Amino acid sequence: MSEIRTRFAPSPTGHVHIGNIRVAIFNWLFARHTGGRFLLRIEDTDQQRSTPAACRTLIEAMEWLGLNWDEPPLYQSARREAHLAAAERLLASGHAVREDKGGTGRGECIVFRMPGCDIEFDDLVKGRLRKAAADLKDFVIVRSDGHPVFHLANVLDDIEMGVTHVIRGDDHVENTFRHIALFRALGAPVPRYAHLPMIVNAQGKPYSKRDGDAYVGEFRDRGILADALFNYLALLGWSPGDGRELMTRTEMIEAFSLDGVQASPARFDMTKLLWMNGEYMRRLPPMERLDGHLRDLRAHGLDPDPAELLRVLEVMQDRIKVFSDTAAQTRYFFSDEYPVDAAAWRKRVARPGVLPALDELRRRWAEAGEWSAASLEAMLKATAAELQRPAADLIHAVRLAVSGTPAGPGLFAMLEVLGRDRVLRRLGRAIERASAVSASHDG
RNA sequence: GACCCCAUCGUCCAGAGGUCAGGACACCAGGUUUUCAUCCUGGAAACACGGGUUCGAGUCCCGUUGGGGUCGCCA
């Protein structure tokens, strides 16, 4: 019984908040670090919200993040009889009484009597916490409609599961005094407690429904990698102490300790998460990223051949930092319909002397024997030299003409992937458009 | 209002009485790159305030201010 057992005990709703999932991460890390067990309890006693779909959402989120549990999950709703039986025992032992609390006329409920002494405990992150008896009030453990209340169910299930360390959100500290009294009245050992500070939004305020980007599913949909989110969340309120930030699961497990947990709330910083996601992204082989990129492209009405996408990813290198940026950054590889940066166009294409040069280049590339990055580059430079223009002028113009944007991968690698047909077609189209514009200006 | 908790660069963390208060993200400047991203170099940037304790305080104590949590027959 000296084995450490932690648990994550969410009440399933359709959404899993990042604050909650971070609690799960800390429980998981602590269990894995100590060689203990990480358990899952689903507190599904709220009939309205705890739908099967909500439970599925929760489990999916945990699986996505790799938060595996070591024993079959306990569904709190299945424990009702046990909860009620325990309430009877508390009644019998005099720890609880039946009464119409507050005289509501709703009938009798079961009220737990606080022991009347001060209660204190050593919180693993906040230190010694104490509450005077006068500030501790009796509370309902079974409602007049016969339903067990959270406090009772929670404590009883922790006993049932043999939980040794309760790691939960800061918002539970006040409950802990009552829970400790309950454990004692029930004759069960009191677990150790660790209360994690809350995560607040960019404004430093507690998260509310109005805040976007706060549900685990939204991060996944947006293309954030599970490992990146896990790593980022683990670092919110905890650090290994030696400055390491990008860490593997193994490294985090090895370094994790509740001593290193911050007692003050942490602000969620999307920018840093995005940076971290980029770091994880670039370490991923293209083959492994394929699905994520494909999903974004399809969501934007593009459906490229995987082999072609692979070549595109190759030339894009680490420019795409989150899956959801894929279509925006690579559309021109898969479709002739892509936006054109008007300001850049004016600056690099609609310039005197550029059009004839582009036209000459198009003629030479049309007759090129070999369509490779190296030969294309050689031909462009030769052309520029002969026309006595800086190669950069042509390079920029061609880039705009074939991709519509001034930013992107190395031009020649890009041209090679684009292929001769598309490049010549777009060059032609660009020349046409540019001369039409300049003609109208002249007239 | 009562009870409790918290307080180091803009943000996340280091700092367990003696450090030029360190790192990361973001930001700014320069370099590399045909562009962008990457990469490299450099820079600006913090101990909330006031009292103590101490030879010495970001570190300990008290107060102030500011932020947060809880005060349900919700979980």
Side-chain angles (χ1 to χ4, degrees), chain A residues 96-248:
Chain A
V97 294
R98 283 185 199 281
E99 67 172 74
D100 179 3
K101 192 168 188 284
T104 59
R106 270 189 276 178
E108 289 192 327
C109 56
I110 302 180
V111 177
F112 180 77
R113 310 287 307 272
M114 286 301 280
C117 59
D118 295 0
I119 294 182
E120 54 186 11
F121 67 100
D122 285 307
D123 189 277
L124 264 10
V125 344
K126 302 173 93 73
R128 193 152 195 82
L129 262 22
R130 178 199 316 258
K131 201 83 171 174
D135 296 317
L136 263 7
K137 292 189 293 189
D138 297 348
F139 59 98
V140 174
I141 53 177
V142 178
R143 285 194 278 269
S144 52
D145 66 3
H147 281 93
V149 167
F150 161 75
H151 304 291
L152 213 220
N154 190 269
V155 166
L156 251 11
D157 291 350
D158 278 342
I159 294 171
E160 170 72 12
M161 295 167 89
V163 172
T164 61
H165 290 68
V166 174
I167 303 169
R168 53 173 27 165
D170 232 353
D171 50 339
H172 282 294
V173 296
E174 304 290 329
N175 291 334
T176 300
F177 298 99
R178 311 204 244 198
H179 293 185
I180 287 174
L182 229 25
F183 274 103
R184 289 179 181 156
L186 260 359
V190 178
R192 305 298 312 270
Y193 287 93
H195 287 96
L196 269 24
M198 316 254 77
I199 296 181
V200 295
N201 65 20
Q203 287 72 241
K205 296 290 175 190
Y207 267 101
S208 69
K209 326 282 165 291
R210 319 222 172 295
D211 293 301
D213 293 339
Y215 297 121
V216 173
E218 292 175 9
F219 289 92
R220 187 184 46 199
D221 293 347
R222 183 157 173 195
I224 298 289
L225 296 170
D227 282 339
L229 185 61
F230 186 108
N231 193 160
Y232 178 72
L233 254 18
L235 253 29
L236 233 39
W238 172 76
S239 91
D242 56 13
R244 278 181 298 167
E245 294 204 313
L246 288 164
M247 301 172 75
T248 64

Side-chain angles (χ1 to χ4, degrees), chain A residues 333-399:
Chain A
F333 280 109
F334 311 113
S335 163
D336 281 336
E337 302 304 316
Y338 51 85
V340 174
D341 183 323
W345 176 277
R346 275 194 300 278
K347 184 177 173 196
R348 323 237 72 144
V349 183
R351 287 180 66 189
V354 164
L355 282 188
L358 272 187
D359 203 30
E360 175 61 22
L361 194 56
R362 180 179 57 150
R363 193 160 31 249
R364 294 190 187 194
W365 278 349
E367 292 159 5
E370 183 194 345
W371 190 263
S372 71
S375 65
L376 292 169
E377 179 168 5
M379 291 173 79
L380 181 142
K381 284 184 170 158
T383 308
E386 283 171 41
L387 297 176
Q388 295 188 307
R389 298 196 62 92
D393 281 9
L394 270 183
I395 289 170
H396 292 308
V398 172
R399 174 185 295 286

